[in-house]
Amino acid sequence: MNAAPLPVPIDPDLSAERGANGQPDHVVSAVVPTRDRPIMVRRAIESILAQDHPGPIEVIVVFDGTEPDQSLVSTRPGRTVRVLGNARTPGLAGGRNTGILAARGNVIAFCDDDDHWLPGKLRAQLDALDDDPHAEFVTTAMTVDYDGRRTDRLAGCDQVSHQQLISSRMAMLHSSTFVVRRDALVDDIGLVDETLPRSMAEDWDLLLRAARRRPIVHVDRPLVDVTWGATSYFADQWQIRNEARLWLLEHHPEISRDERGAALHFSKLAFGHAALGQRREAMRWSARAFRRNPREPRTVLALLVATRLVRWEFVVRMLNTRGRGI
């Protein structure tokens, strides 16, 4: 699934001009996977095209399971929009990889179709990328929009290590903030893993693999609006969530070796089983989480749902209102 592809040459129409320092500006390929969100995807595209990056930007819109909308195709000075059908595994991961492999830029960026970039986002990240010659992967903080309630999620740091990602999901490092050098992504980090159940948590898996090589450079400003709510993927697919978390434990065994990371992961599994009404499994994972870190609050939430003292919908709604997920 993740074999390295042949390099794709940069289109002459997208060739970077020389900047003030004599160096070529980056050519950015923004990959936008989409499915059945015609209004939102147009907002996402416009937010990318409106960035003040002086170099070329191409937007690659990848339609998953639906016919590509050719009306989105456009060309303007320094800006292009292309549309493709997902040519790989159906789902978010395959859609992202279809766009990555078709990209003609030296920098890859992600934007989900229900999110949008804020002004200055791309320039801030490319400046951070250029400031560190060893940097490969740059993220920003985000603003969560949940049914009109907006919450900024900051990381409180300008670099994120592999250990930080093991101990905490670092959810503010959202996929719609990702900017990464194409050669590092394709040749070293590897493409988005298409074997994850329903592409669930593919962004965290990618972050873990990237941070294992080098720390993630982080711009701790909320420069992406992330939409949560009824339109979000995996809103109530607890079985898929559980399968994905088991996949992550198998493919990233260091999570289980970390006290905080293990408790966090086990408590999420406990909550997922509780939401499915699987009380025995919920209690088992809760016990495992408590043994690793008695202070993990999600364990208590899982037990409350498992014993039917509260409904899982209430817990998720309260957490989402604060810009946080389970």
Side-chain angles (χ1 to χ4, degrees):
M1 286 289 184
N2 289 333
L6 296 174
V8 178
I10 294 176
D11 190 293
D13 293 337
L14 289 174
S15 59
E17 298 181 358
R18 295 279 167 176
N21 61 0
Q23 298 298 316
D25 290 317
H26 293 291
V27 178
V28 177
S29 296
V31 178
V32 182
T34 189
R35 183 185 178 97
D36 298 331
R37 290 174 176 160
I39 296 175
M40 284 186 163
V41 75
R42 288 180 181 274
R43 182 185 65 171
I45 293 168
E46 287 304 317
S47 76
I48 298 169
L49 297 177
Q51 293 293 306
D52 62 354
H53 168 54
I57 299 175
E58 67 165 354
V59 181
I60 304 173
V61 185
V62 183
F63 284 79
D64 179 48
T66 57
E67 192 68 23
D69 182 358
Q70 298 296 332
S71 71
L72 297 176
V73 175
S74 68
T75 302
R76 64 185 80 169
R79 302 287 188 266
T80 63
V81 179
R82 302 159 57 199
V83 300
L84 303 171
N86 180 5
R88 296 173 65 91
T89 305
L92 188 57
R96 292 204 203 282
N97 287 338
T98 294
I100 292 166
L101 298 179
R104 298 178 293 199
N106 66 312
V107 172
I108 303 293
F110 289 171
C111 186
D112 292 348
D113 61 358
D114 55 345
D115 303 330
H116 62 278
W117 294 356
L118 299 180
K121 181 261 190 194
L122 191 56
R123 181 186 285 270
Q125 288 182 278
L126 294 177
D127 286 348
L129 194 65
D130 290 338
D131 286 345
D132 183 349
H134 301 294
E136 296 178 341
F137 206 120
V138 186
T139 57
T140 77
M142 67 176 181
T143 296
V144 175
D145 186 335
Y146 177 70
D147 289 345
R149 184 184 179 98
R150 296 171 59 79
T151 306
D152 292 344
R153 293 292 310 276
L154 306 178
C157 59
D158 57 13
Q159 281 196 344
V160 177
S161 68
H162 184 254
Q163 180 57 48
Q164 284 174 281
L165 286 163
I166 290 296
S167 297
S168 170
R169 167 64 181 83
M170 302 293 287
M172 69 290 299
L173 276 61
H174 189 274
S175 54
S176 291
T177 77
F178 290 4
V179 164
V180 58
R181 298 186 191 274
R182 186 184 188 277
D183 55 355
L185 177 61
V186 172
D187 299 332
D188 301 307
I189 300 168
L191 297 176
V192 182
D193 199 305
E194 298 176 25
T195 65
L196 263 158
R198 205 76 64 84
S199 299
M200 174 66 190
E202 41 76 38
D203 51 348
W204 190 27
D205 169 67
L206 188 61
L207 284 168
L208 286 167
R209 288 188 277 124
R212 190 180 289 126
R213 285 174 43 80
R214 289 185 174 86
I216 305 295
V217 176
H218 181 71
V219 178
D220 204 29
R221 292 156 50 197
L223 295 173
V224 173
D225 269 6
V226 174
T227 304
W228 284 4
T231 63
S232 299
Y233 290 110
F234 317 117
D236 59 359
Q237 300 171 16
W238 294 108
Q239 184 60 39
I240 298 299
R241 287 174 176 264
N242 290 345
E243 291 174 8
R245 285 172 183 140
L246 291 173
W247 186 101
L248 287 163
L249 288 174
E250 178 184 353
H251 288 77
H252 298 278
E254 59 269 36
I255 296 173
S256 295
R257 294 193 291 266
D258 183 84
E259 295 298 318
R260 287 182 59 202
L264 174 64
H265 218 74
F266 296 167
S267 64
K268 289 185 176 185
L269 277 162
F271 191 94
H273 284 292
L276 289 168
Q278 299 167 352
R279 186 174 183 273
R280 185 186 297 273
E281 281 298 291
M283 301 298 284
R284 184 172 74 87
W285 283 106
S286 293
R288 293 187 65 182
F290 185 81
R291 285 195 295 268
R292 302 305 296 273
N293 180 12
R295 297 183 178 181
E296 173 51 58
R298 290 171 181 80
T299 306
V300 176
L301 297 176
L303 290 172
L304 289 172
V305 174
T307 54
R308 300 181 182 178
L309 291 175
V310 298
R311 294 177 59 85
W312 69 261
E313 294 92 339
F314 173 80
V315 175
V316 170
R317 185 169 63 253
M318 291 300 100
L319 290 175
N320 286 350
T321 300
R322 298 172 55 202
R324 296 179 180 275
I326 189 64

